[in-house]
Amino acid sequence: QVQLVESGGGLVQAGGSLKLSCVASGRSFSSYVMGWFRQAPGKEREFVSRISQSGVRVYYADSVKGRFTISRDSAKNTVYLQMNSLKPEDTAVYYCTADTTGRWGYEPDYWGQGTQVTVSS
């Protein structure tokens, strides 16, 4: 059983930055592929980014590439999403995810509760 708790969401103006954090309760954090998804009102949930167990391999959706950076800290059981140059289109609930099987490119098996990110014009 893995519990994921996100924080860092809020309101920011277009062009601004936010950093999301996600703390995982599992004792095998370093073996998980971690990631972020988001869902805007009236839209389907979409993939944002993922990071490998080692933190070396990362992948981003085209919509956020060059603006967002995913990272992880094994000592803190935490994954981060640094979001720069935010756009109103980035407004969504952001969900932290974990794949405890260590799969790459598959649906995660654990989800956080979500944190709201609102970007104003």
Side-chain angles (χ1 to χ4, degrees):
Q1 177 70 272
V2 176
Q3 186 177 60
L4 306 174
V5 181
E6 302 102 330
S7 62
L11 175 65
V12 65
Q13 292 188 21
S17 299
L18 284 174
K19 188 173 184 177
L20 306 183
S21 299
C22 171
V23 179
S25 64
R27 57 178 172 268
S28 300
F29 175 76
S30 295
S31 69
Y32 307 156
V33 172
M34 302 295 297
W36 293 91
F37 282 70
R38 67 185 183 184
Q39 187 168 26
K43 300 186 67 176
E44 295 182 359
R45 185 173 294 179
E46 67 172 333
F47 166 80
V48 176
S49 183
R50 69 171 67 89
I51 186 168
S52 66
Q53 297 94 322
S54 68
V56 173
R57 189 180 181 188
V58 296
Y59 185 71
Y60 301 94
D62 288 342
S63 59
V64 306
K65 192 174 297 181
R67 300 188 297 121
F68 291 11
T69 302
I70 191 170
S71 61
R72 64 194 296 162
D73 185 339
S74 61
K76 296 181 177 180
N77 269 31
T78 301
V79 63
Y80 303 95
L81 187 69
Q82 177 67 52
M83 305 184 295
N84 298 326
S85 301
L86 283 162
K87 306 173 181 179
E89 305 92 89
D90 296 318
T91 295
V93 176
Y94 283 71
Y95 297 91
C96 176
T97 66
D99 181 351
T100 60
T101 70
R103 296 188 184 97
W104 185 258
Y106 291 88
E107 285 291 304
D109 51 356
Y110 289 93
W111 296 75
Q113 81 288 347
T115 185
Q116 178 70 48
V117 172
T118 302
V119 184
S120 62
S121 300

